[in-house]
Amino acid sequence: MHYMAKLGVFERRKISEAVENTGRQPLPCGWVDTNKGDSEKPELRSRLVAKETQRLSTLGKEDASATFAATPPIEGLRLLLSLAMTGRSRDRVLTFIDISRAHLHSELKRRVYIKAPKEDRGCKEDECWLLLKAMYGTRDAAQTWECAYLNYLEEIGFVSGVSTPCIFHHRERDLRGTVHGDDFTICGPEDERHWLSEKMKSWFESMKLGSFSRRF
């Protein structure tokens, strides 16, 4: 709850405003608990999820298209591996970047109201949440995240692919990469990789970083 408030995920609004603007009550929400560890070393995670799931057959064409988000072809990763292992430059590094809670970093382009969870003790009975960020469980969360990271990358000189936006290239800095969901794979010189990772740290609240470099 503190993390979502820090990122500005929501604003408290009157339930009557939600009904007036959308013609319905705020959407329900719930907590999804997962154990990313095991029974001996549990690593418990709790995520608040908006319940905006519908069958595609019940959606209009515009809403149905909003659920789509691109994924990179396997050839993109194979190319990065090939460049890292066979390139002329020996300082070329493969970098793996995982953005934690990625969807909460992307701004929604429409009005979505959800019921406030009971853990928001400052919310009154006649209030709900207006989402400002794409909470998990909203239909266009993946597409909104895609638009967010592409805007960031293009601002610093990257060009995305024609066939898929999940492949990108920075010619001047000799950086190439792919992204699948919230997982980035980058190939390029060590100093340029460091430049990009610092940029991404300034964009996103939390990220995990790993790298691989060949040595002869």
Side-chain angles (χ1 to χ4, degrees):
M1 293 293 295
H2 173 74
Y3 187 83
M4 288 189 292
K6 182 179 180 180
L7 290 184
V9 173
F10 64 91
E11 287 182 352
R12 298 188 184 101
R13 298 293 181 89
K14 296 291 185 181
I15 294 178
S16 57
E17 176 186 318
V19 175
E20 180 180 352
N21 288 332
T22 65
R24 62 185 180 187
Q25 291 291 317
L27 297 168
C29 65
W31 292 95
V32 175
D33 300 323
T34 58
N35 181 6
K36 293 195 172 184
D38 53 36
S39 58
E40 296 183 357
K41 295 182 179 180
E43 185 181 351
L44 303 178
R45 303 286 181 87
S46 293
R47 176 176 290 166
L48 186 63
V49 176
K51 299 180 179 180
E52 195 189 19
T53 56
Q54 296 185 43
R55 295 181 183 275
L56 289 179
S57 60
T58 67
L59 302 176
K61 291 183 179 180
E62 181 178 351
D63 287 337
S65 64
T67 64
F68 174 79
T71 55
I74 188 63
E75 290 79 6
L77 179 58
R78 289 173 177 169
L79 173 62
L80 298 183
L81 293 172
S82 177
L83 289 172
M85 298 304 298
T86 63
R88 289 177 296 177
S89 175
R90 294 188 178 184
D91 68 345
R92 187 165 283 147
V93 177
L94 269 179
T95 301
F96 309 97
I97 300 175
D98 176 23
I99 307 300
S100 300
R101 307 175 185 92
H103 291 177
L104 301 182
H105 292 88
S106 51
E107 296 183 3
L108 273 176
K109 305 300 182 183
R110 59 193 178 95
R111 286 183 172 271
V112 177
Y113 296 87
I114 69 169
K115 295 179 180 178
K118 63 181 181 180
E119 288 79 7
D120 183 10
R121 296 180 175 84
C123 195
K124 301 177 181 178
E125 290 186 2
D126 63 342
E127 291 181 329
C128 62
W129 284 6
L130 169 65
L131 295 183
L132 306 179
K133 301 292 180 66
M135 181 180 288
Y136 289 89
T138 53
R139 291 200 306 269
D140 51 352
Q143 188 178 97
T144 305
W145 162 242
E146 180 182 292
C147 293
Y149 71 71
L150 284 177
N151 287 337
Y152 282 127
L153 291 173
E154 289 172 358
E155 286 179 359
I156 60 173
F158 279 92
V159 176
S160 58
V162 176
S163 60
T164 172
C166 300
I167 296 177
F168 44 89
H169 177 212
H170 198 304
R171 184 180 299 275
E172 289 76 15
R173 294 184 178 271
D174 192 25
L175 287 170
R176 295 171 177 81
T178 67
V179 57
H180 189 285
D182 55 11
D183 296 318
F184 291 77
T185 303
I186 312 294
C187 181
E190 172 66 28
D191 57 338
E192 300 297 352
R193 187 277 302 180
H194 179 74
W195 167 82
L196 179 59
S197 64
E198 290 301 311
K199 286 288 185 181
M200 296 184 74
K201 286 179 183 178
S202 69
W203 299 337
F204 307 120
E205 182 68 21
S206 55
M207 55 181 277
K208 298 178 182 178
L209 184 66
S211 62
F212 166 80
S213 61
R214 62 176 181 150
R215 292 289 184 266
F216 296 100

